Amino acid sequence: MLNREDQAADQEAAVVIDPAPHSDTDVESTSVPAITFRAHHLKAQELKHTHSFSSISSYASSVQSDSERSPSSSSEEERTVAKKSASKRRNECKPGGGTPLRPAGKAHDWYSGGRITSHGRWFRDSLNRTLLLRGVNLCGSSKLPTTPNGSSHLSEGFFDHRNVCFVGRPFPRDQADEHFSRLKRWGLTFVRLLVPWEALEHSGPGIYDEKFIDSLIELIELMPKYGIKCFIDPHQDCWSRFSGGSGAPGWTFEAAGLDITKFKATGAAYVHNVNQVPGDSPPMVWPTNYTKLAASTMFTLFWAGDTFAPQKMYQGEPIQQFLQNRYLDCYQHLARRLCHLDAIVGFEVMNEPHPGYIGLDDLNEYDFNSNLIFGDSPSALEGFALGDGMTMPIEVWVKSWPLPTRKQRTRLINTDKESAWLEGECLWKQHGVWSVNPKTGQPQVNKPDYFTKHPVTGEKIDFSPFYLDFIGKYSRAVQSVISSAFVFVEPVPNELPPVWRPDDHEENIVYAPHWYDLHSLFNKAFDGRITHDVQGLSKGKNVFAATYFGLKGARKNYRGQLSNILNAGLQNVGNKPCLIGECGIPMDINQRRAFLNGDYGHHSKFLDAVLSSLEANLLSFTLWNYNASNDNTYGDHWNGEDFSIFSLDSPQGSPDSPFDRSYFRFEDEESDDGRNHESHVGGRALDAIIRPYAAKVAGEPLSTEFNTATLQFTFRFSNYLQTPTEIFIPSYHYEDTGLEILVSDGDWRYVKERQTLYYRHKETKPGFVHSVLIKPISKPLGSGFTGLSNGSNTSLSKVRLSDQYSRAKMTKGDLEPSKLKSESSYGASSSRAKPESETGCICTIM
């Protein structure tokens, strides 16, 4: 922030234009002088290369030009006209508190540009600028109740599913300023906020936890202060905590007739909380629950119970209608409670939906290419039999190479002949899908195509129409409350999205798939030597063609996979915005060595390959995840996962003693922003995570690239309107290096305490390509100013940005003095202003 002496000096030296009304969310704006731009110094033809980089035209000080002032000798009538003119300019403000020539907010403040909208594949703001959103998922621990402690390595009180509490997720109110301030400083201000169904409706159907919703409202009300906006994620994994994942309340199993206390014995689910018996499969096999009885049955009933289980009723309703209506009513109720909050931009339909048994064409075997076969691996038929009280020999699969897993042995499951059903026999047995062979006593399939053809009409059937119908219902439920709400939709993991039909819901749909390097995730290893295209392998790609070498190969691999995902969305979903809802890396890779030695070098290289590939595809994204309770011992406290970019144990390598941060103060931007700022305490792999990006673009983005080795950032776009482009410039990287900012045309202004570069292009020809290049000065310079010469025909400014409010000279290069105007033409101080031929171009750094 500016100190009092700097502010006083600036006010004494200049007549400052009254600032336009500022957003109440821009907490520093009242102490920052109004931002104005100087007109381009040179005509286009005077530049040797019109498209070459040039920082000759940077920004001017925050003063009025001569034409804007009312001279002291003017008449009263002239002064009145001038005041009216100034008043008119002040009133010509845009949403968010700025004018095209005087932007009000930070690049990573999503309020300064007004409401977020969309046009085609891009998000837009009220100034019609393209938005490249980025942020985090808040957070992995939100899957778990706070009372009793829901960490998945604990079992006490686990089955008392109605008497739980999620108040305090994602973090308590008294920690919110710390975490939101950190996210703002890191430039990660677009949040996917996890709100599982269980957190809202755990006590029973229609009984909502209003205290939890109140606590959410308290947190969301704070978001505008930090420029943060969010969308609600009804998060689930494998249906519910009680079937080895997260999401749905325990009573949903009761509605289906399933007994959650018998899932372990019958192999109906692998539940980390209770699967702690020696010899059991390791805990990080939770995705295999998608193919086990409990989760597969629940998904099938939820999406298509009317079709595949018409006999199943609950409380007088068909099971599909009962489950869907409770879900829709629950999130519509949440929308009503949150509709007054400016931070809410939309609701997601469901995290990582799964079809259950719908479309399964072989009940005797799961497809190795589209399902994770690992640990105890019963087929659908074997799962039916186990749940019905039969003892079965089940294959056990382990990790291998070059195929990810292989069969190792078989073992008997359900030797006590327990039943997973509360009463009666298996639901699928009741519907004639399978039976026990009276001669052999073994289970047999009676209707092998039961889940691929309509049981009545015989028409071929798959998951898409069921999912699309529900997307329409959910969208209408939410948008009946918040008409402008985006609806975020994702496909089944690692599969193509459904093809939108003419009558499917279109209004404010956002395509929000997930992407991970599944090979590195599964093996928890990355050294940058070899990566694999698991996406391609699942579709039959040759293993050699799907293998990439080195970090350059990793980026090519990831870039191609993400391009496929983006293009599939544009083709199947339509020309709609795309945001990668989850991406990230496991932090416990390479045998957790970083936790002991503090070296996150491999993590930074891994994450940089991921993030640079997202940027190469010009994708918005939310990282998985920021977890306020992460530690080195239990990670994200859920099923052995450890993805959080923040940890209580970082930077210390002590699994048993979380790092004490209680002595730090997290006030809003009151101190220097270098790598040693207190907000960075607890961060992991920040060299890759914190990176410059063009957040609000006055045109269509064409390319963006950040080199973590050289800290050079380049961005290109083609214009379609004349408003400033806003670029996030993290002080984390550039505090101690100085900055060199070069642009193809127009002028710019860098506001250090906002970590924002405002760039206003000059050339307005449709389709003209504008370029911005930012890089550190090769050798850190001392405080004060610097004037460095460049031998090219285009002058460059190399500005040392060590002071919060300083002046720096620009080099003259080979330009003739007669072609440069003196500073007095732009509203200098009352003291004699030297011509630029004598002093260089004077630039105000804020």
Side-chain angles (χ1 to χ4, degrees):
M1 293 234 177
L2 303 179
N3 58 43
R4 294 184 182 276
E5 290 81 8
D6 289 336
Q7 291 184 22
D10 188 61
Q11 291 169 358
E12 182 178 354
V15 179
V16 181
I17 301 173
D18 291 339
H22 286 276
S23 165
D24 59 5
T25 64
D26 189 9
V27 293
E28 302 83 46
S29 58
T30 55
S31 62
V32 179
I35 300 171
T36 59
F37 294 84
R38 159 183 310 176
H40 200 284
H41 294 52
L42 306 177
K43 297 179 182 179
Q45 59 267 28
E46 292 179 312
L47 291 175
K48 183 173 182 180
H49 301 292
T50 304
H51 294 277
S52 65
F53 286 114
S54 170
S55 55
I56 185 68
S57 61
S58 63
Y59 41 82
S61 58
S62 303
V63 297
Q64 290 176 304
S65 66
D66 290 347
S67 62
E68 292 173 322
R69 296 183 184 177
S70 178
S72 56
S73 61
S74 62
S75 66
E76 183 65 29
E77 181 180 355
E78 290 173 324
R79 286 196 294 270
T80 302
V81 171
K83 288 177 66 176
K84 289 182 178 180
S85 177
S87 176
K88 181 179 180 181
R89 285 194 298 272
R90 286 195 296 270
N91 292 330
E92 289 175 348
C93 58
K94 298 292 183 181
T99 69
L101 300 185
R102 189 167 43 197
K106 309 176 191 68
H108 51 304
D109 180 336
W110 303 117
Y111 296 83
S112 62
R115 186 168 69 87
I116 297 177
T117 60
S118 67
H119 180 78
R121 66 155 291 194
W122 303 109
F123 292 103
R124 296 278 180 87
D125 67 6
S126 294
L127 300 179
N128 208 28
R129 293 177 296 186
T130 299
L131 305 181
L132 295 175
L133 307 168
R134 62 177 63 183
V136 297
N137 282 259
L138 280 181
C139 65
S141 62
S142 294
K143 304 176 182 184
L144 309 166
T146 51
T147 307
N149 187 339
S151 295
S152 65
H153 62 282
L154 304 175
S155 59
E156 184 177 356
F158 177 68
F159 292 116
D160 189 12
H161 58 86
R162 292 177 185 263
N163 297 307
V164 296
C165 176
F166 284 73
V167 173
R169 301 296 189 204
F171 36 70
R173 167 62 183 84
D174 60 2
Q175 296 178 16
D177 289 297
E178 170 192 338
H179 297 298
F180 287 156
S181 177
R182 181 177 288 114
L183 290 174
K184 183 179 74 169
R185 193 171 298 275
W186 292 355
L188 301 173
T189 48
F190 193 70
V191 164
R192 183 176 184 243
L193 186 63
L194 276 69
V195 185
W197 188 5
E198 183 189 9
L200 299 169
E201 202 175 0
H202 50 80
S203 296
I207 305 173
Y208 304 127
D209 190 335
E210 301 295 351
K211 289 184 178 179
F212 171 68
I213 299 176
D214 289 341
S215 71
L216 274 184
I217 292 173
E218 286 187 350
L219 292 180
I220 298 171
E221 284 176 336
L222 284 176
M223 289 183 178
K225 177 182 177 182
Y226 299 95
I228 295 172
K229 289 201 173 188
C230 72
F231 65 99
I232 302 300
D233 164 29
H235 203 88
Q236 72 80 33
D237 305 277
C238 304
W239 185 257
S240 172
R241 284 195 302 134
F242 306 99
S243 48
S246 65
W251 52 259
T252 60
F253 293 101
E254 296 172 1
L258 287 162
D259 185 348
I260 62 175
T261 66
K262 300 299 175 63
F263 288 172
K264 173 177 171 56
T266 62
Y270 185 100
V271 183
H272 191 192
N273 302 70
V274 297
N275 280 60
Q276 298 298 308
V277 177
D280 281 348
S281 301
M284 188 51 186
V285 292
W286 66 264
T288 63
N289 283 310
Y290 278 116
T291 59
K292 290 184 169 62
L293 176 69
S296 287
T297 294
M298 294 307 303
F299 279 116
T300 306
L301 297 179
F302 182 86
W303 304 118
D306 290 352
T307 301
F308 297 113
Q311 300 174 25
K312 183 62 183 174
M313 306 286 289
Y314 188 74
Q315 294 185 356
E317 285 185 88
I319 188 62
Q320 174 185 330
Q321 303 308 316
F322 175 81
L323 293 172
Q324 288 194 3
N325 288 340
R326 299 295 81 72
Y327 187 93
L328 295 170
D329 290 348
C330 180
Y331 284 98
Q332 187 180 57
H333 175 77
L334 182 63
R336 290 193 185 100
R337 292 293 316 274
L338 305 183
C339 65
H340 67 287
L341 299 170
D342 291 339
I344 299 294
V345 301
F347 281 66
E348 189 169 319
V349 176
M350 179 184 288
N351 177 71
E352 297 185 354
H354 194 273
Y357 295 124
I358 303 169
L360 183 60
D361 57 7
D362 190 346
L363 300 181
N364 290 294
E365 184 179 31
Y366 278 106
D367 182 3
F368 185 90
N369 289 318
S370 56
N371 296 280
L372 176 59
I373 310 299
F374 186 60
D376 296 336
S377 303
S379 66
L381 176 61
E382 290 168 339
F384 297 156
L386 287 168
D388 205 43
M390 298 180 67
T391 301
M392 298 292 296
I394 300 301
E395 294 179 353
V396 179
W397 287 59
V398 297
K399 294 179 181 179
S400 68
W401 174 255
L403 298 176
T405 60
R406 63 175 174 83
K407 176 185 173 182
Q408 183 190 57
R409 60 190 175 95
T410 61
R411 75 181 187 110
L412 290 177
I413 292 182
N414 200 10
T415 54
D416 293 332
K417 299 185 180 299
E418 300 274 9
S419 174
W421 300 95
L422 290 169
E423 57 185 37
E425 61 182 4
C426 171
L427 175 68
W428 306 116
K429 198 178 191 180
Q430 294 174 15
H431 284 81
V433 181
W434 72 283
S435 64
V436 177
N437 188 305
K439 294 182 179 179
T440 64
Q442 296 300 308
Q444 64 182 15
V445 176
N446 297 333
K447 299 178 180 180
D449 56 0
Y450 186 78
F451 296 106
T452 59
K453 291 185 179 180
H454 195 286
V456 177
T457 66
E459 181 183 355
K460 189 174 181 180
I461 207 165
D462 62 21
F463 176 58
S464 292
F466 297 105
Y467 186 35
L468 288 168
D469 288 346
F470 184 77
I471 289 171
K473 294 177 184 177
Y474 184 88
S475 300
R476 288 187 289 274
V478 169
Q479 291 174 346
S480 68
V481 178
I482 309 174
S483 60
S484 63
F486 286 110
V487 176
F488 295 78
V489 178
E490 59 191 276
V492 174
N494 309 314
E495 293 190 12
L496 296 174
V499 177
W500 248 244
R501 303 165 301 189
D503 294 332
D504 288 325
H505 190 87
E506 297 274 359
E507 185 67 22
N508 277 355
I509 293 291
V510 174
Y511 178 51
H514 298 174
W515 181 84
Y516 294 95
D517 176 350
L518 294 178
H519 182 267
S520 296
L521 186 155
F522 182 59
N523 292 287
K524 292 196 175 184
F526 182 89
D527 61 9
R529 297 178 182 178
I530 297 177
T531 58
H532 300 279
D533 178 4
V534 178
Q535 182 188 91
L537 288 170
S538 69
K539 295 175 173 58
K541 191 174 184 179
N542 180 280
V543 66
F544 297 105
T547 301
Y548 296 80
F549 298 95
L551 291 173
K552 185 176 181 181
R555 286 190 288 270
K556 181 179 180 181
N557 176 14
Y558 300 164
R559 186 168 62 246
Q561 292 188 52
L562 286 162
S563 176
N564 292 338
I565 289 173
L566 172 61
N567 290 330
L570 292 172
Q571 180 176 339
N572 290 6
V573 182
N575 192 27
K576 298 177 177 63
C578 179
L579 175 140
I580 303 298
E582 286 186 25
C583 54
I585 68 167
M587 293 292 177
D588 53 350
I589 57 173
N590 304 337
Q591 292 79 50
R592 302 157 60 95
R593 287 193 294 267
F595 296 171
L596 299 176
N597 60 26
D599 182 3
Y600 283 83
H602 283 305
H603 300 70
S604 291
K605 291 175 182 177
F606 191 178
L607 259 174
D608 179 56
V610 171
L611 297 178
S612 64
S613 300
L614 288 159
E615 291 166 345
N617 284 284
L618 300 170
L619 287 163
S620 297
F621 60 86
T622 48
L623 285 169
W624 185 269
N625 76 111
Y626 181 102
N627 191 336
S629 59
N630 178 282
D631 58 53
N632 288 351
T633 305
Y634 297 111
D636 292 329
H637 286 248
W638 182 82
N639 284 356
E641 282 198 350
D642 192 344
F643 282 76
S644 180
I645 62 175
F646 169 85
S647 178
L648 294 171
D649 282 345
S650 293
Q652 304 296 315
S654 173
D656 299 318
S657 303
F659 184 68
D660 182 10
R661 297 164 3 272
S662 60
Y663 59 88
F664 284 121
R665 297 176 64 202
F666 290 87
E667 296 181 358
D668 188 53
E669 299 191 334
E670 290 292 337
S671 56
D672 291 339
D673 287 350
R675 287 172 174 256
N676 296 323
H677 191 279
E678 56 263 30
S679 282
H680 302 317
V681 173
R684 294 161 146 184
L686 296 186
D687 286 350
I689 291 168
I690 302 177
R691 48 209 295 130
Y693 68 97
K696 302 163 187 170
V697 184
E700 182 168 334
L702 298 176
S703 68
T704 183
E705 183 177 3
F706 175 57
N707 187 314
T708 55
T710 65
L711 301 184
Q712 179 169 301
F713 170 77
T714 56
F715 178 67
R716 298 169 64 249
F717 70 98
S718 61
N719 64 274
Y720 56 73
L721 71 160
Q722 269 195 299
T723 56
T725 290
E726 299 181 16
I727 301 175
F728 174 70
I729 308 293
S731 297
Y732 175 87
H733 286 300
Y734 301 106
E735 170 73 18
D736 300 320
T737 66
L739 273 180
E740 183 177 349
I741 301 173
L742 305 98
V743 300
S744 58
D745 62 299
D747 42 25
W748 52 266
R749 184 178 207 97
Y750 174 69
V751 183
K752 177 185 172 184
E753 61 190 22
R754 295 184 182 181
Q755 299 190 96
T756 297
L757 172 70
Y758 302 92
Y759 167 52
R760 186 179 63 178
H761 60 270
K762 173 181 172 61
E763 180 58 60
T764 59
K765 179 181 177 181
F768 186 89
V769 176
H770 308 279
S771 303
V772 179
L773 186 149
I774 299 164
K775 58 183 178 180
I777 297 174
S778 57
K779 183 178 180 180
L781 304 175
S783 59
F785 349 23
T786 177
L788 302 175
S789 180
N790 183 285
S792 69
N793 290 327
T794 302
S795 297
L796 307 176
S797 68
K798 295 187 176 183
V799 185
R800 169 64 178 161
L801 299 172
S802 58
D803 298 331
Q804 298 225 356
Y805 191 72
S806 60
R807 295 182 183 271
K809 294 182 180 180
M810 297 179 64
T811 60
K812 295 172 287 184
D814 298 325
L815 295 173
E816 298 177 16
S818 61
K819 292 182 180 179
L820 297 175
K821 298 180 180 179
S822 68
E823 186 183 353
S824 61
S825 300
Y826 304 104
S829 64
S830 57
S831 60
R832 186 184 75 86
K834 298 180 180 180
E836 287 183 333
S837 60
E838 183 178 342
T839 66
C841 176
I842 304 300
C843 306
T844 304
I845 312 296
M846 296 174 61

